[in-house]
Amino acid sequence: MNKILIIESDFQLAERMCRALTDNETHAFSCGTLEAAAALLENEQYQQIIIDTELPDGDGYDLIYELRIGLYESNDVPIILIVSNDRKPDATELGELGVTDCITKPFSVSVLKAKVWTQFKRGKRNSSFRAISRFEAIGAGSRKSIIGEHIVEIDAYVFDFDHEEYFVAGEMVQLSRLEQCLLRNLVENKGIVLKKRALVDKLRLESGMMHIDESMLAEVVHMLSNKLDARNYIKTVYGIGYLWALAEDKNKSG
């Protein structure tokens, strides 16, 4: 069952959108504030999100940023932006935001429905291509690839990349898609400094999130290090990039 989250403060409009987008294969949910959206996103994963930029308790752009840096599981899903006509971003701005499409008020719900189904169809067409691209990208340029290793064990860490399960001292840790891509690159290149620019390009290819930049990369590195309690392993080489330290180097400052 596909799940769509609609974040729209106009209750009647939100109800019309939910009715139009709900069928046997898809269920649409709605809320009217950023606070309510955050609560829903913490407890559920959605396949598509529709966000009004003007909400009673803040700016929808703030939530988009939180989604794209991996604060919620629904971090790499299509996002359709609802904006007023005088605030419509151009194609470049949409790309930088990581927004898939945009619609201006007032709009026909049937037009929105067409945009939503277009994204679902596009996702099905691209899924196999992204999988191939991800496979080809992982390990490129590294001295040793971990492709084919179902489980990687490093001290107290157990990383099962095939099943997307990650353990620290026996406790499972939930990682976003972007954090998983970053971790895999770091681990399969243990002891090698991954330059920021090259790592950004690789994460864009593997995750399909083309809006990633060096600033966002730094935040994701910080979040991953905190989640795994891996400050002795994930090192920042200032001005250059990041690495997963080898055993003999992990206690050195960096």
Side-chain angles (χ1 to χ4, degrees), residues 5-253:
L5 178 60
I6 299 167
I7 309 165
E8 168 57 60
S9 58
D10 184 330
F11 177 77
Q12 292 184 342
L13 175 58
E15 284 292 296
R16 292 203 306 273
M17 288 192 286
C18 282
R19 287 196 299 270
L21 299 176
T22 296
D23 58 21
N24 291 334
E25 296 181 355
T26 304
H27 193 93
F29 303 83
S30 69
C31 61
T33 64
L34 291 175
E35 182 179 6
L40 290 171
L41 287 164
E42 286 175 356
N43 295 299
E44 201 66 66
Q45 186 162 1
Y46 299 89
Q47 283 66 54
Q48 203 160 156
I49 300 174
I50 302 169
I51 305 177
D52 193 333
T53 56
E54 299 177 3
L55 297 166
D57 57 343
D59 195 320
Y61 290 111
D62 294 334
L63 181 60
I64 293 171
Y65 181 73
E66 292 178 353
L67 283 162
R68 291 320 194 194
I69 65 172
L71 288 186
Y72 307 103
E73 285 299 305
S74 307
N75 58 73
D76 60 350
V77 304
I79 293 176
I80 296 178
L81 205 61
I82 300 176
V83 298
S84 57
N85 200 39
D86 60 342
R87 294 189 61 189
K88 184 178 179 179
D90 60 28
T92 300
E93 291 173 315
L94 290 176
E96 291 175 348
L97 290 167
V99 172
T100 311
D101 206 343
C102 180
I103 192 167
T104 58
K105 288 184 176 181
F107 58 85
S108 166
V109 173
S110 62
V111 173
L112 175 67
K113 184 175 181 178
K115 288 178 177 287
V116 168
W117 297 150
T118 295
Q119 296 309 318
F120 280 137
K121 290 177 183 177
R122 184 176 296 166
K124 290 179 180 179
R125 289 199 304 268
N126 291 342
S127 59
S128 59
F129 171 77
R130 285 200 301 267
I132 293 171
S133 296
R134 182 175 184 272
F135 181 85
E136 291 176 343
I138 291 173
S142 66
R143 291 184 301 194
K144 180 182 179 183
S145 173
I146 61 172
I147 288 179
E149 292 186 24
H150 298 286
I151 298 176
V152 176
E153 297 185 27
I154 303 173
D155 296 336
Y157 299 103
V158 178
F159 302 140
D160 186 340
F161 290 99
D162 286 349
H163 297 95
E164 299 183 353
E165 295 179 348
Y166 309 93
F167 298 86
V168 181
E171 297 291 326
M172 182 180 286
V173 177
Q174 296 295 326
L175 301 181
S176 70
R177 179 67 58 82
L178 189 54
E179 289 167 342
Q180 292 179 51
C181 290
L182 173 62
L183 177 63
R184 184 159 190 160
N185 276 282
L186 291 171
V187 168
E188 75 172 355
N189 292 283
K190 293 189 297 291
I192 300 173
V193 178
L194 303 181
K195 293 183 179 180
K196 294 179 182 179
R197 183 70 263 164
L199 189 52
V200 164
D201 290 341
K202 203 170 183 189
L203 292 181
R204 284 177 177 173
L205 179 62
E206 292 179 18
S207 70
M209 299 168 65
M210 303 307 294
H211 62 286
I212 300 169
D213 57 18
E214 292 185 13
S215 177
M216 182 178 292
L217 172 62
E219 292 193 37
V220 177
V221 169
H222 179 71
M223 292 171 63
L224 178 64
S225 180
N226 285 342
K227 282 187 178 182
L228 298 179
D229 191 19
R231 286 172 292 279
N232 286 335
Y233 295 83
I234 298 176
K235 301 288 188 178
T236 299
V237 182
Y238 293 101
I240 301 176
Y242 307 95
L243 84 159
W244 184 283
L246 296 172
E248 62 268 24
D249 298 323
K250 69 183 180 66
N251 292 318
K252 296 178 182 178
S253 60

